[in-house]
Amino acid sequence: MGAVRSITVLLLVLFMAMSSGVRSCPPSDRAALLAFKAALHEPYLGIFNSWTGADCCHKWYGVSCDQETRRVADINLRGESEEPIFERAHRTGYMTGYISPAICKLARLSSITIADWKGISGEIPRCITTLPFLRIVDLIGNRLSGSIPADIGRLHRLTVLNVADNLISGTIPTSLANLSSLMHLDLRNNLFSGPIPRNFGSLSMLSRALLSGNRLSGAIPSSVSQIYRLADLDLSRNQISGPIPESLGKMAVLSTLNLDMNKLSGPIPVSLFSSGISDLNLSRNALEGNIPDAFGVRSYFTALDLSYNNLKGAIPKSISSASYIGHLDLSHNHLCGKIPLGSPFDHLEASSFVYNDCLCGKPLKPCY
């Protein structure tokens, strides 16, 4: 009996060891995470204090694993969060160091979020383009430099690419247009230069394209208007030149179009005033000609800013037939004539009309 009991206990111990092994993450994933951690320094919150023990799938802060394979699937480390570790410290996160290429050894990685740590520098590891299951890359709010990997277009499952608020330079890779699943692109506030790729319109799933605050030049590619789902396009604060494509006003779901602080020239396309765009900012460019007399019931603007251009002529009378205009700024142009009466002009202040050639009427001086 004793021998039988001993064998039973031994088998039980072996079974528990094997089952715990099945539940643990592979040693190779654990080693990759520890190499990733070794390249970073986080002095205030102790977010890596939990990265101990054999099983990196069990209570390692910011690490999630696939329930079946136990491979690391997500790294989610945000420097601005309402989680208890931040609440207790009464501060946002700060981290220095760099993103180690060891992260690329996590072959089943689906998302990489290393956001808002303010001090992480170095380049985006080139090897991330070898991670075939990657769906989210969110590296906003660091001090990353270098360029976006030239073969970023290999990541056919990628839905989110967010590298805003860094120091990334170089051109936008032409292969980016191969990201057939991409829905959210945020490159704001970096040092990107050169043109927007001509084949940008191939991003058929894209709903938000935020490229403001860079050094982009050249024209707005007409292919942009082929992106059926695009709702938010922000190209402001760049050096983009040439005309505004008429086709932008014919896009099915585009609601926000920010093109301010560029070098755009030519007339304002008539189509923009009878489109679904509700937030339109064309200020601080070199646009010329008259404001199109094309407002109607489809014209619904929470904000319409045409200030600091070379627009001339009168304020079109059809503007009074717009369904709604919340904020309107026509200042710093060469407009002339009487400001129309009624909506939306009855709630606007003089600052909306100042520094034109000869506008008159409320809220400016009377016409004589």
Side-chain angles (χ1 to χ4, degrees):
M1 279 296 286
V4 172
R5 187 178 292 118
S6 298
I7 292 169
T8 304
V9 170
L10 184 62
L11 287 171
L12 192 62
V13 168
L14 279 170
F15 175 76
M16 289 176 67
M18 286 170 65
S19 59
S20 69
V22 169
R23 282 200 300 271
S24 295
C25 68
S28 58
D29 278 14
R30 181 179 180 275
L33 284 174
L34 291 176
F36 164 76
K37 170 191 166 185
L40 296 167
H41 177 57
E42 192 281 297
Y44 300 114
L45 301 170
I47 65 158
F48 291 125
N49 290 353
S50 63
W51 287 31
T52 59
D55 187 6
C56 60
C57 296
H58 183 64
K59 294 186 177 178
W60 281 35
Y61 182 87
V63 176
S64 302
C65 297
D66 183 276
Q67 290 300 309
E68 291 184 13
T69 64
R70 306 308 288 166
R71 298 297 303 271
V72 173
D74 305 294
I75 295 176
N76 185 10
L77 299 173
R78 294 188 179 277
E80 294 181 4
S81 171
E82 294 179 1
E83 292 195 21
I85 195 169
F86 290 85
E87 298 289 321
R88 287 194 298 270
H90 302 292
R91 61 167 299 137
T92 59
Y94 181 77
M95 202 186 301
T96 56
Y98 64 96
I99 300 172
S100 169
I103 203 170
C104 303
K105 293 178 180 175
L106 300 168
R108 303 292 297 191
L109 208 55
S110 173
S111 71
I112 303 171
T113 299
I114 306 166
D116 295 313
W117 291 101
K118 307 168 192 71
I120 297 176
S121 56
E123 298 195 6
I124 300 169
R126 311 276 110 187
C127 57
I128 67 160
T129 61
T130 65
L131 294 171
F133 300 99
L134 213 48
R135 298 173 69 88
I136 295 171
V137 173
D138 185 353
L139 306 175
I140 187 175
N142 291 293
R143 292 187 61 78
L144 298 172
S145 57
S147 57
I148 288 182
D151 57 346
I152 189 79
R154 294 170 63 183
L155 297 173
H156 294 301
R157 287 183 172 89
L158 200 67
T159 60
V160 174
L161 177 59
N162 184 355
V163 296
D165 301 328
N166 279 287
L167 301 169
I168 299 170
S169 57
T171 57
I172 298 173
T174 53
S175 81
L176 187 105
N178 297 332
L179 295 173
S180 53
S181 300
L182 196 67
M183 300 168 77
H184 180 99
L185 175 65
D186 194 346
L187 308 181
R188 287 175 298 174
N189 303 324
N190 278 286
L191 303 170
F192 289 106
S193 58
I196 299 168
R198 289 178 63 185
N199 58 348
F200 196 80
S202 300
L203 295 167
S204 57
M205 300 297 288
L206 199 63
S207 62
R208 301 190 82 199
L210 310 177
L211 279 64
S212 63
N214 284 288
R215 298 170 181 176
L216 298 172
S217 57
I220 300 171
S222 57
S223 69
V224 169
S225 59
Q226 297 167 14
I227 309 175
Y228 181 83
R229 292 173 171 82
L230 193 63
D232 188 348
L233 177 62
D234 188 351
L235 306 179
S236 62
R237 295 181 292 119
N238 280 291
Q239 297 165 23
I240 297 169
S241 57
I244 300 171
E246 174 89 21
S247 54
L248 290 184
K250 298 171 182 174
M251 295 178 68
V253 293
L254 189 66
S255 61
T256 298
L257 179 60
N258 291 332
L259 302 178
D260 48 298
M261 296 183 74
N262 278 291
K263 298 178 178 179
L264 296 166
S265 57
I268 298 173
V270 173
S271 61
L272 296 183
F273 294 126
S274 56
S275 66
I277 298 171
S278 59
D279 188 343
L280 178 62
N281 193 339
L282 306 180
S283 67
R284 297 178 189 270
N285 280 287
L287 300 170
E288 53 206 17
N290 291 16
I291 300 172
D293 194 6
F295 292 85
V297 288
R298 286 204 65 202
S299 309
Y300 185 102
F301 292 101
T302 52
L304 174 58
D305 193 342
L306 308 179
S307 63
Y308 291 91
N309 278 291
N310 296 319
L311 302 172
K312 58 180 176 45
I315 297 172
K317 288 189 167 53
S318 66
I319 201 167
S320 298
S321 64
S323 290
Y324 177 76
I325 298 181
H327 170 77
L328 175 68
D329 193 345
L330 305 177
S331 66
H332 297 269
N333 279 290
H334 300 290
L335 301 173
C336 214
K338 190 174 190 300
I339 297 170
L341 298 172
S343 179
F345 302 97
D346 46 13
H347 72 266
L348 297 172
E349 298 183 6
S351 57
S352 294
F353 306 100
V354 294
Y355 297 103
N356 275 287
D357 289 2
C358 46
L359 281 179
C360 62
K362 279 190 174 184
L364 299 180
K365 64 182 188 301
C367 298
Y368 295 106

